[in-house]
PDB file of all heavy atoms in Angstrom:
ATOM      1  N   GLU A1468       2.974  -4.533  26.301  1.00 84.00           N
ATOM      2  CA  GLU A1468       4.165  -4.921  27.127  1.00 84.00           C
ATOM      3  C   GLU A1468       4.740  -3.721  27.862  1.00 84.00           C
ATOM      4  O   GLU A1468       5.177  -3.817  28.976  1.00 84.00           O
ATOM      5  CB  GLU A1468       5.204  -5.538  26.213  1.00 84.00           C
ATOM      6  CG  GLU A1468       4.915  -6.936  25.677  1.00 84.00           C
ATOM      7  CD  GLU A1468       5.987  -7.472  24.835  1.00 84.00           C
ATOM      8  OE1 GLU A1468       7.004  -6.752  24.612  1.00 84.00           O
ATOM      9  OE2 GLU A1468       5.879  -8.628  24.331  1.00 84.00           O
ATOM     10  N   LEU A1582       8.048 -13.162  10.852  1.00 81.00           N
ATOM     11  CA  LEU A1582       8.294 -12.383  12.098  1.00 81.00           C
ATOM     12  C   LEU A1582       7.487 -12.949  13.250  1.00 81.00           C
ATOM     13  O   LEU A1582       7.922 -12.854  14.440  1.00 81.00           O
ATOM     14  CB  LEU A1582       7.947 -10.891  11.887  1.00 81.00           C
ATOM     15  CG  LEU A1582       8.792 -10.162  10.888  1.00 81.00           C
ATOM     16  CD1 LEU A1582       8.443  -8.690  10.863  1.00 81.00           C
ATOM     17  CD2 LEU A1582      10.305 -10.302  11.211  1.00 81.00           C
ATOM     18  N   VAL A1584       7.057 -16.120  13.810  1.00 78.00           N
ATOM     19  CA  VAL A1584       7.849 -17.237  14.266  1.00 78.00           C
ATOM     20  C   VAL A1584       9.044 -16.692  15.091  1.00 78.00           C
ATOM     21  O   VAL A1584       9.365 -17.202  16.208  1.00 78.00           O
ATOM     22  CB  VAL A1584       8.397 -18.049  13.083  1.00 78.00           C
ATOM     23  CG1 VAL A1584       9.400 -19.132  13.556  1.00 78.00           C
ATOM     24  CG2 VAL A1584       7.225 -18.734  12.359  1.00 78.00           C
ATOM     25  N   VAL A1585       9.708 -15.656  14.603  1.00 84.00           N
ATOM     26  CA  VAL A1585      10.849 -15.075  15.277  1.00 84.00           C
ATOM     27  C   VAL A1585      10.479 -14.463  16.623  1.00 84.00           C
ATOM     28  O   VAL A1585      11.187 -14.611  17.622  1.00 84.00           O
ATOM     29  CB  VAL A1585      11.545 -14.018  14.389  1.00 84.00           C
ATOM     30  CG1 VAL A1585      12.660 -13.339  15.135  1.00 84.00           C
ATOM     31  CG2 VAL A1585      12.129 -14.658  13.125  1.00 84.00           C
ATOM     32  N   ALA A1586       9.279 -13.803  16.640  1.00 78.00           N
ATOM     33  CA  ALA A1586       8.850 -13.124  17.860  1.00 78.00           C
ATOM     34  C   ALA A1586       8.608 -14.100  18.990  1.00 78.00           C
ATOM     35  O   ALA A1586       8.546 -13.666  20.174  1.00 78.00           O
ATOM     36  CB  ALA A1586       7.574 -12.319  17.554  1.00 78.00           C
ATOM     37  N   ALA A1587       8.445 -15.372  18.681  1.00 76.00           N
ATOM     38  CA  ALA A1587       8.201 -16.367  19.719  1.00 76.00           C
ATOM     39  C   ALA A1587       9.492 -16.618  20.523  1.00 76.00           C
ATOM     40  O   ALA A1587       9.425 -17.160  21.649  1.00 76.00           O
ATOM     41  CB  ALA A1587       7.683 -17.667  19.106  1.00 76.00           C
ATOM     42  N   TYR A1588      10.633 -16.194  19.998  1.00 85.00           N
ATOM     43  CA  TYR A1588      11.905 -16.499  20.629  1.00 85.00           C
ATOM     44  C   TYR A1588      12.623 -15.258  21.149  1.00 85.00           C
ATOM     45  O   TYR A1588      13.708 -15.395  21.692  1.00 85.00           O
ATOM     46  CB  TYR A1588      12.832 -17.221  19.645  1.00 85.00           C
ATOM     47  CG  TYR A1588      12.301 -18.528  19.172  1.00 85.00           C
ATOM     48  CD1 TYR A1588      11.575 -18.670  17.994  1.00 85.00           C
ATOM     49  CD2 TYR A1588      12.483 -19.705  19.940  1.00 85.00           C
ATOM     50  CE1 TYR A1588      11.050 -19.874  17.575  1.00 85.00           C
ATOM     51  CE2 TYR A1588      11.970 -20.918  19.537  1.00 85.00           C
ATOM     52  CZ  TYR A1588      11.272 -21.010  18.348  1.00 85.00           C
ATOM     53  OH  TYR A1588      10.739 -22.187  17.925  1.00 85.00           O
ATOM     54  N   MET A1589      12.042 -14.093  21.024  1.00 87.00           N
ATOM     55  CA  MET A1589      12.674 -12.888  21.502  1.00 87.00           C
ATOM     56  C   MET A1589      11.594 -11.805  21.802  1.00 87.00           C
ATOM     57  O   MET A1589      10.460 -11.971  21.414  1.00 87.00           O
ATOM     58  CB  MET A1589      13.660 -12.325  20.493  1.00 87.00           C
ATOM     59  CG  MET A1589      13.077 -11.854  19.175  1.00 87.00           C
ATOM     60  SD  MET A1589      14.280 -11.055  18.063  1.00 87.00           S
ATOM     61  CE  MET A1589      15.403 -12.430  17.799  1.00 87.00           C
ATOM     62  N   SER A1590      12.004 -10.781  22.508  1.00 88.00           N
ATOM     63  CA  SER A1590      11.071  -9.688  22.801  1.00 88.00           C
ATOM     64  C   SER A1590      10.784  -8.882  21.536  1.00 88.00           C
ATOM     65  O   SER A1590      11.582  -8.888  20.587  1.00 88.00           O
ATOM     66  CB  SER A1590      11.647  -8.755  23.870  1.00 88.00           C
ATOM     67  OG  SER A1590      12.776  -8.086  23.368  1.00 88.00           O
ATOM     68  N   ILE A1591       9.657  -8.159  21.550  1.00 88.00           N
ATOM     69  CA  ILE A1591       9.289  -7.340  20.400  1.00 88.00           C
ATOM     70  C   ILE A1591      10.335  -6.207  20.241  1.00 88.00           C
ATOM     71  O   ILE A1591      10.679  -5.842  19.122  1.00 88.00           O
ATOM     72  CB  ILE A1591       7.878  -6.742  20.585  1.00 88.00           C
ATOM     73  CG1 ILE A1591       6.852  -7.863  20.798  1.00 88.00           C
ATOM     74  CG2 ILE A1591       7.499  -5.917  19.343  1.00 88.00           C
ATOM     75  CD1 ILE A1591       6.719  -8.852  19.671  1.00 88.00           C
ATOM     76  N   GLY A1592      10.790  -5.669  21.371  1.00 92.00           N
ATOM     77  CA  GLY A1592      11.818  -4.640  21.304  1.00 92.00           C
ATOM     78  C   GLY A1592      13.084  -5.092  20.581  1.00 92.00           C
ATOM     79  O   GLY A1592      13.649  -4.393  19.755  1.00 92.00           O
ATOM     80  N   SER A1593      13.527  -6.315  20.895  1.00 93.00           N
ATOM     81  CA  SER A1593      14.699  -6.888  20.220  1.00 93.00           C
ATOM     82  C   SER A1593      14.440  -7.067  18.710  1.00 93.00           C
ATOM     83  O   SER A1593      15.311  -6.865  17.900  1.00 93.00           O
ATOM     84  CB  SER A1593      15.080  -8.204  20.882  1.00 93.00           C
ATOM     85  OG  SER A1593      15.446  -8.009  22.248  1.00 93.00           O
ATOM     86  N   LEU A1594      13.228  -7.502  18.428  1.00 92.00           N
ATOM     87  CA  LEU A1594      12.854  -7.719  17.026  1.00 92.00           C
ATOM     88  C   LEU A1594      12.911  -6.395  16.261  1.00 92.00           C
ATOM     89  O   LEU A1594      13.467  -6.358  15.128  1.00 92.00           O
ATOM     90  CB  LEU A1594      11.430  -8.277  16.949  1.00 92.00           C
ATOM     91  CG  LEU A1594      10.862  -8.524  15.548  1.00 92.00           C
ATOM     92  CD1 LEU A1594      11.680  -9.555  14.790  1.00 92.00           C
ATOM     93  CD2 LEU A1594       9.402  -8.938  15.615  1.00 92.00           C
ATOM     94  N   TYR A1595      12.438  -5.343  16.885  1.00 94.00           N
ATOM     95  CA  TYR A1595      12.506  -4.001  16.198  1.00 94.00           C
ATOM     96  C   TYR A1595      13.939  -3.523  16.022  1.00 94.00           C
ATOM     97  O   TYR A1595      14.263  -2.882  15.058  1.00 94.00           O
ATOM     98  CB  TYR A1595      11.647  -3.003  16.984  1.00 94.00           C
ATOM     99  CG  TYR A1595      10.163  -3.134  16.868  1.00 94.00           C
ATOM    100  CD1 TYR A1595       9.288  -2.703  17.847  1.00 94.00           C
ATOM    101  CD2 TYR A1595       9.596  -3.803  15.696  1.00 94.00           C
ATOM    102  CE1 TYR A1595       7.933  -2.857  17.724  1.00 94.00           C
ATOM    103  CE2 TYR A1595       8.253  -3.937  15.594  1.00 94.00           C
ATOM    104  CZ  TYR A1595       7.392  -3.486  16.599  1.00 94.00           C
ATOM    105  OH  TYR A1595       6.031  -3.602  16.463  1.00 94.00           O
ATOM    106  N   SER A1596      14.809  -3.861  16.991  1.00 96.00           N
ATOM    107  CA  SER A1596      16.213  -3.490  16.841  1.00 96.00           C
ATOM    108  C   SER A1596      16.818  -4.204  15.604  1.00 96.00           C
ATOM    109  O   SER A1596      17.571  -3.558  14.842  1.00 96.00           O
ATOM    110  CB  SER A1596      17.012  -3.923  18.095  1.00 96.00           C
ATOM    111  OG  SER A1596      16.602  -3.191  19.214  1.00 96.00           O
ATOM    112  N   ILE A1597      16.506  -5.454  15.445  1.00 95.00           N
ATOM    113  CA  ILE A1597      17.025  -6.221  14.277  1.00 95.00           C
ATOM    114  C   ILE A1597      16.465  -5.636  13.002  1.00 95.00           C
ATOM    115  O   ILE A1597      17.184  -5.459  12.001  1.00 95.00           O
ATOM    116  CB  ILE A1597      16.650  -7.710  14.426  1.00 95.00           C
ATOM    117  CG1 ILE A1597      17.412  -8.339  15.593  1.00 95.00           C
ATOM    118  CG2 ILE A1597      16.961  -8.459  13.127  1.00 95.00           C
ATOM    119  CD1 ILE A1597      17.026  -9.766  15.910  1.00 95.00           C
TER     120      ILE A1597
END
Side-chain angles (χ1 to χ4, degrees):
E1468 289 180 359
L1582 294 185
V1584 173
V1585 174
Y1588 298 95
M1589 64 174 63
S1590 68
I1591 305 298
S1593 299
L1594 179 63
Y1595 286 155
S1596 294
I1597 293 172

